[in-house]
Amino acid sequence: MATIIKAIEIVGALTPAAMRLYEGFMALVGEADRAELTALYVVARDQSDRLHDEVQAAAR
């Protein structure tokens, strides 16, 4: 699991490449690891949304 997470971090958590990694590994891992990958995705998405909001606010 650590290798999967590291691969996602290397490519950037919300890049198209990472999305393919999420999808591919979701099919290969067990239930507990699937939950961990989902949590990792949710955190990355939330961080991305926050950053986007900050950039939009700064541009106003």
Side-chain angles (χ1 to χ4, degrees), residues 38-58:
T38 300
L40 178 69
Y41 170 76
V42 168
V43 168
R45 187 189 63 208
D46 290 347
Q47 288 174 340
S48 176
D49 289 347
R50 238 183 346 269
L51 178 60
H52 176 75
D53 291 345
E54 289 173 11
V55 168
Q56 291 297 322

Side-chain angles (χ1 to χ4, degrees), residues 8 16-29 34 37:
I8 290 169
M19 298 309 292
R20 284 179 182 62
L21 288 173
Y22 284 119
E23 292 167 1
F25 288 124
M26 285 288 206
L28 298 174
V29 298
R34 214 172 285 132
L37 280 176

